[in-house]
Amino acid sequence: MQTLLVFGARNLGRVLARELAAEGWRVAAVARSESTIEQLRDEVPDAVGIVGDASRPEDVERIFAAVGDVDLVVNAITTTPSFGGPIHEAPPDALDAYVGTLLPGILNVLRVGGRVLAARGAGTLVQVTGGSARRGNPGRGPWAAAAFATRALVQSQAAELREHGVHVAMLIVDAIIESEKTKGWLEDEPPERSASMEDVARAIAYLHEQTPRAWTHELQLTPALERWVP
């Protein structure tokens, strides 16, 4: 039985856990609140729910120790935008939520997850991010700063861990992921601007299924093109 450990259980992580549990996986998911874990258990009764904060190194170490051997680590944590607007109008602390909190959380999952998988000599680590990892968009500068940095970390780790038998990949979702949180954002948007959480889960499963010779270290999910772009 394969094991999934996903960080970020509120939306995408919950759906990913549900989809893989239905295929016979052992699934564990992490969230910062007990209420999110309760929602996960309601939908995926056999899931292992763990309360923890990826920005806290000791939490990440504890979580990996509790779950044990894993085959697929997925990092789907995000943050609530603290500023949206032109950089010349940004307050001095505009980077704090992204580079000060989100990025350290991403680094913690990559470094501890990478170490655990390298010790096993196998496994997949997928980092999920948005289209800002490929381009800076108007009003999204601070978010893009963290996304660009995340891309650099994943590219480096993919090269570092390949010789250890570990597949590290970034999934760039170049769309708004459909959820309760984003429902209001999508009211006036065409369908091709969004992707379902099931679409994203299938892309993650695809990355995990790659053989070592065909490892894809970056995949862009672009609904507008109706295809995946390696």
Side-chain angles (χ1 to χ4, degrees):
M1 179 185 294
Q2 296 192 87
T3 297
L4 162 74
L5 172 58
V6 57
F7 287 78
R10 180 184 293 275
N11 293 305
L12 174 58
R14 172 177 49 80
V15 171
L16 178 62
R18 183 193 71 205
E19 297 293 302
L20 292 189
E23 295 180 9
W25 284 58
R26 171 179 175 251
V27 299
V30 181
R32 288 180 295 179
S33 71
E34 185 61 44
S35 61
T36 298
I37 295 300
E38 290 174 1
Q39 182 182 5
L40 167 73
R41 291 186 181 123
D42 287 342
E43 191 164 337
V44 192
D46 293 331
V48 176
I50 305 172
V51 176
D53 187 336
S55 69
R56 296 171 58 87
E58 61 273 23
D59 279 14
V60 178
E61 297 281 3
R62 169 178 57 82
I63 289 162
F64 274 96
V67 175
D69 286 346
V70 293
D71 299 279
L72 172 60
V73 177
V74 177
N75 191 18
I77 65 171
T78 186
T79 188
T80 300
S82 58
F83 170 76
I87 292 173
H88 67 275
E89 296 178 2
D93 63 353
L95 287 173
D96 288 359
Y98 307 100
V99 178
T101 302
L102 177 61
L103 191 59
I106 289 169
L107 175 62
N108 286 332
V109 175
L110 291 177
R111 66 183 186 81
V112 181
R115 188 182 73 223
V116 168
L117 294 178
R120 291 192 65 217
T124 304
L125 198 165
V126 177
Q127 172 65 51
V128 182
T129 189
S132 290
R134 288 198 161 181
R135 63 188 177 278
N137 292 310
R140 302 274 288 173
W143 169 253
F148 269 59
T150 298
R151 190 180 183 192
L153 289 171
V154 173
Q155 287 178 345
S156 295
Q157 191 170 50
E160 294 160 355
L161 292 184
R162 185 180 181 89
E163 65 183 43
H164 295 280
V166 178
H167 180 195
V168 179
M170 170 173 276
L171 176 60
I172 299 175
V173 184
D174 199 5
I176 299 172
I177 299 177
E178 298 164 5
S179 70
E180 286 300 316
K181 177 181 177 180
T182 63
K183 185 183 294 184
W185 306 350
L186 291 168
E187 287 180 354
D188 299 318
E189 297 287 349
E192 61 268 21
R193 284 283 292 121
S194 67
S196 72
M197 289 186 280
E198 288 79 7
D199 289 337
V200 181
R202 282 191 290 270
I204 292 170
Y206 166 81
L207 286 168
H208 179 60
E209 291 164 1
Q210 300 306 293
T211 62
R213 288 187 179 181
W215 277 348
T216 300
H217 296 311
E218 191 169 287
L219 188 69
Q220 182 176 348
L221 177 57
T222 309
L225 299 179
E226 296 183 348
R227 62 189 177 98
W228 293 342
V229 183

